[in-house]
Amino acid sequence: MTYPWVKLHCSIKDWEWSSDPNTLALLVHLLVNANHEDKKWKGVLVPAGALIFGRKAWSKKTGISERGLRTALTKLISTSEVTIKTTNKYSVIYL
């Protein structure tokens, strides 16, 4: 079985958030964890290019505090790198 891959262009070093380690790390983690095909999770369709996100789980996964994740996500949303649909139990992040 082959797995999809993520290609980062060297111009990422000129990206406006490249000097913010939490935001850059979160973006890379989101890119490599996003679905590469449509999938269902607990009856919810999560399309390709999206993923389920919970702050507590992702804080453990990335080593970034929950507050750091909120800040990084706010930055990514403000520049339209990601969009997010939030419920009271989880969020779906679209890349």
Side-chain angles (χ1 to χ4, degrees):
M1 176 179 212
T2 60
Y3 294 96
W5 48 273
V6 174
K7 181 179 178 179
L8 292 177
H9 194 275
C10 62
S11 65
I12 196 160
K13 67 182 183 269
D14 299 323
W15 177 54
E16 66 185 291
W17 302 119
S18 65
S19 61
D20 182 331
N22 285 348
T23 304
L24 180 59
L26 179 59
L27 179 64
V28 171
H29 276 280
L30 293 173
L31 287 170
V32 299
N33 285 284
N35 287 345
H36 62 277
E37 58 187 29
D38 293 352
K39 293 184 180 179
K40 282 207 168 201
W41 177 79
K42 296 186 178 183
V44 176
L45 178 63
V46 183
L51 56 99
I52 299 295
F53 183 89
R55 278 192 323 266
K56 289 182 183 188
W58 274 73
S59 179
K60 288 179 185 177
K61 181 184 269 193
T62 62
I64 302 171
S65 70
E66 288 185 49
R67 183 181 190 114
L69 286 174
R70 279 195 306 268
T71 302
L73 267 177
T74 299
K75 291 176 181 178
L76 293 173
I77 292 167
S78 74
T79 56
S80 301
E81 307 295 338
V82 302
T83 56
I84 188 168
K85 178 183 171 191
T86 304
T87 72
N88 62 345
K89 296 184 182 185
Y90 63 90
S91 298
V92 180
I93 294 181
Y94 302 88
L95 294 149

